[in-house]
Amino acid sequence: MKLEMRDQPGQLVAALQPISAVGGNIIAVIHQRETSTAAEVLDVQIVLELPEGRLEKLLELLREQGVSVVRIGEERLLYECTLIVIGHLMHTDLSDTVDRIDRTGSAEVTELSLAMPAISSPSSARIIIRSTTRAEMKKAIRLLREVAEQKDLLIIEPLEDG
Amino acid sequence: MIRIALLGFGSVGRGIARAILAKDLNITVTGLADSRGGIIDAGGIDLLAALDRKGNGGPCGSPGVSPADVVAKADYDVLVEVTPTNVETAEPALGHIRGALRRRKHVVTSNKGPIALAYPELRALAEANGVLLNYEATVCGAIPLIHAIREGLAGNTISRLYGVFNGTCNYILTRMAEDSLTYEQALAEARELGYAEADPTYDVEGIDAAIKLVILANTVLDMQTTLDDVERTGITLLTPDALRLAEDQDCTIRLIGEIIPEAGVLRVSPRIVAKAHPLVVEGTLNAVTVETDLAGDLTFIGKGAGSTETASAVIGDLLYIHDRYVQGS
């Protein structure tokens, strides 16, 4: 999500403190002094990661600090990871495999490309998982690994995560 | 001059002999043995004659002289132990290395077994006897990875080390990606070219790569691990489709060994790697990236196996010892 605020001196620090207080993770702070206005006013944009359900608490803390939030933009699924799965994907209920990830609520399979060779040989699929946070991605991959073990599938993970 | 006793006269041993004959390395071989025979000669063994005998299918020396005799009786400064790896017991190499260290002889080995299974004990034994135990050739053939980490990167903290540790697997995966070969076809081709053994299990199941990780973890990364600590998946189940699906995204699949010291992670598994990544090397090459705090990231690429290439690592160790420890030169 993105927070935009019109800032008076000292407000930036006041805005950052509550973010860590609610367990958020700041990804980027972008601020630009506006030349059009004479007053000491800053346009600040903060990109951050928040655990589910903490947004209301953060806004309350920001209001207490006297920081005015101009706009909130939310991007739910920030992280993307491509994996390849090999095995008897259809016989082991591919839709259930996908569903197990989707049911987490914080990670989703957003793309699936399936190659099927001759009947009874193992098939291969490339899947793209998107998630709300890096931690949720790790959880989703762990979950996929568990499913793979139950269904005797081989998971090929990327060398670099995220 | 440095005097060596050479145990093992297969591909690596003969590579060393040929390099000694071809170059002025100031190395004299005073003991030589393989599983079928040996020679002890304080005046220096005729290596050309020994290579000839071996080339004609004979033993390198007389059947009455065993490797143990060479270790115990020959007059040498450094034991060069280059017999094949035994991952279960590390024998008979382990006993020979112990014997030489107890005689206060330095040891250079290309044998993964003793280093992976008994490094702390062997190192303590070497220290107690005031000699060195060097093993550069055990990991990634010609790439001087151990020396680079021990000396060149001394003082750095390594946060992650990962790469391509097995040339056979890398060849198979390169061929599967290039020409859409099946795993079985690529393996057959690797066998024909002598890159894969008749029983390829050790390579294709990731055991060889896992042993190299254990050696690095235990000897240069301050970890205490065994082969069982390595999470290991081989390449036998990979399909041409999987490689094509990776290719569609400008990626490929490589068997990657990875160590994350702080998290205690040791892992060998096929991974999706961007084709532009420096670790994506072709054919039987090896490539290793080391992530450090002071030096940043370094990637080493080179030949991971081969007679002359492995001999290079052994000779590097020998001359390192010679420069620092061997008297009267």
Side-chain angles (χ1 to χ4, degrees):
Chain A
M1 59 168 279
K2 287 174 184 175
L3 294 176
E4 266 182 22
M5 64 197 71
R6 198 149 286 269
D7 193 289
Q8 268 90 48
Q11 271 203 321
L12 182 55
V13 177
L16 297 183
Q17 197 278 327
I19 295 171
S20 55
V22 296
N25 177 31
I26 299 166
I27 296 167
V29 179
I30 307 147
H31 59 104
Q32 207 164 16
R33 197 166 296 272
E34 271 181 32
T35 47
S36 57
T37 43
E40 287 282 310
V41 175
L42 291 169
D43 236 13
V44 181
Q45 204 179 82
I46 300 174
V47 183
L48 56 91
E49 245 176 46
L50 268 189
E52 289 287 323
R54 300 284 172 84
L55 182 58
E56 284 310 313
K57 180 71 187 162
L58 174 63
L59 291 175
E60 190 189 314
L61 288 173
L62 286 173
R63 268 195 301 275
E64 279 172 19
Q65 296 278 347
V67 175
S68 45
V69 176
V70 180
R71 195 166 68 83
I72 301 169
E74 188 179 2
E75 216 177 304
R76 250 189 93 252
L77 301 172
L78 273 174
Y79 290 92
E80 185 183 291
C81 180
T82 303
L83 302 105
I84 291 174
V85 188
I86 303 173
H88 292 287
L89 300 175
M90 303 306 283
H91 298 305
T92 57
D93 197 350
L94 183 58
S95 62
D96 167 73
T97 305
V98 170
D99 202 40
R100 301 263 281 266
I101 302 292
D102 289 353
R103 275 207 305 260
T104 61
S106 46
E108 282 172 25
V109 174
T110 58
E111 211 184 300
L112 190 140
S113 315
L114 181 65
M116 285 195 296
I119 295 170
S120 85
S121 349
S123 47
S124 313
R126 182 180 64 228
I127 66 171
I128 297 179
I129 298 178
R130 293 178 67 91
S131 74
T132 53
T133 63
R134 191 178 289 270
E136 289 298 336
M137 182 63 79
K138 284 206 168 130
K139 260 197 235 167
I141 293 174
R142 236 185 350 256
L143 178 65
L144 189 62
R145 277 194 189 185
E146 281 167 27
V147 175
E149 200 157 312
Q150 291 161 11
K151 298 186 175 184
D152 201 19
L153 307 175
L154 170 64
I155 303 281
I156 305 173
E157 293 174 39
L159 177 60
E160 312 293 350
D161 48 318
Chain B
M1 203 249 289
I2 185 165
R3 296 165 307 159
I4 68 168
L6 182 59
L7 295 193
F9 212 46
S11 164
V12 180
R14 280 177 281 170
I16 295 166
R18 281 192 289 264
I20 292 171
L21 286 168
K23 301 189 59 147
D24 184 16
L25 296 170
N26 218 3
I27 296 170
T28 302
V29 181
T30 56
L32 170 68
D34 62 11
S35 52
R36 294 160 64 201
I39 323 169
I40 296 173
D41 184 346
I45 292 161
D46 182 348
L47 290 176
L48 203 54
L51 283 168
D52 269 351
R53 283 194 296 276
K54 190 83 179 183
N56 293 327
C60 67
S62 65
V65 179
S66 71
D69 292 334
V70 171
V71 171
K73 294 172 194 161
D75 200 7
Y76 58 92
D77 305 306
V78 186
L79 176 74
V80 176
E81 202 289 325
V82 293
T83 61
T85 292
N86 170 338
V87 285
E88 269 92 48
T89 66
E91 294 295 0
L94 184 55
H96 296 147
I97 292 175
R98 283 193 190 116
L101 293 174
R102 287 197 190 105
R103 282 190 69 195
R104 297 181 175 273
K105 308 296 184 190
H106 305 283
V107 173
V108 172
T109 185
S110 63
N111 193 321
K112 297 175 193 70
I115 304 299
L117 293 178
Y119 181 72
E121 176 219 316
L122 293 177
R123 192 194 158 140
L125 189 58
E127 269 172 17
N129 287 287
V131 289
L132 283 187
L133 166 66
N134 280 19
Y135 50 89
E136 182 65 71
T138 58
V139 178
C140 295
I143 302 176
L145 191 60
I146 310 268
H147 279 285
I149 294 173
R150 261 196 201 292
E151 276 99 40
L153 296 171
N156 279 269
T157 300
I158 293 171
S159 51
R160 189 174 172 222
L161 185 156
Y162 54 101
V164 172
F165 289 91
N166 185 273
T168 307
C169 289
N170 206 64
Y171 180 82
I172 291 171
L173 294 174
T174 303
R175 293 294 295 133
M176 286 177 74
E178 267 174 4
D179 284 336
S180 306
L181 300 184
T182 64
Y183 165 76
E184 287 76 14
Q185 289 167 333
L187 172 62
E189 195 181 278
R191 274 201 185 118
E192 246 164 63
L193 292 165
Y195 297 152
E197 306 285 330
D199 175 8
T201 313
Y202 183 70
D203 290 314
V204 298
E205 294 292 356
I207 301 166
D208 173 67
I211 291 170
K212 291 168 182 168
L213 293 188
V214 168
I215 290 175
L216 288 170
N218 293 1
T219 69
V220 293
L221 296 172
D222 285 332
M223 299 169 78
Q224 288 168 349
T225 65
T226 68
L227 202 47
D228 291 336
D229 298 321
V230 185
E231 188 190 321
R232 180 171 55 80
T233 307
I235 62 164
T236 56
L237 299 175
L238 290 189
T239 59
D241 282 335
L243 279 141
R244 190 179 50 70
L245 288 166
E247 193 96 3
D248 288 347
Q249 303 217 315
D250 284 323
C251 291
T252 190
I253 298 174
R254 288 292 189 259
L255 185 72
I256 300 289
E258 181 181 29
I259 306 176
I260 306 172
E262 207 176 311
V265 169
L266 280 93
R267 182 178 178 198
V268 174
S269 56
R271 304 282 281 271
I272 304 171
V273 192
K275 276 158 83 181
H277 197 287
L279 288 184
V280 178
V281 290
E282 303 286 302
T284 59
L285 284 174
N286 283 189
V288 180
T289 296
V290 186
E291 291 182 1
T292 73
D293 55 348
L294 303 177
D297 295 2
L298 298 101
T299 298
F300 301 84
I301 297 173
K303 291 186 176 159
S307 172
T308 312
E309 293 82 0
T310 310
S312 159
V314 170
I315 288 166
D317 275 349
L318 271 173
L319 298 182
Y320 175 93
I321 290 172
H322 175 258
D323 289 350
R324 284 159 187 78
Y325 288 89
V326 177
Q327 308 291 315
S329 53

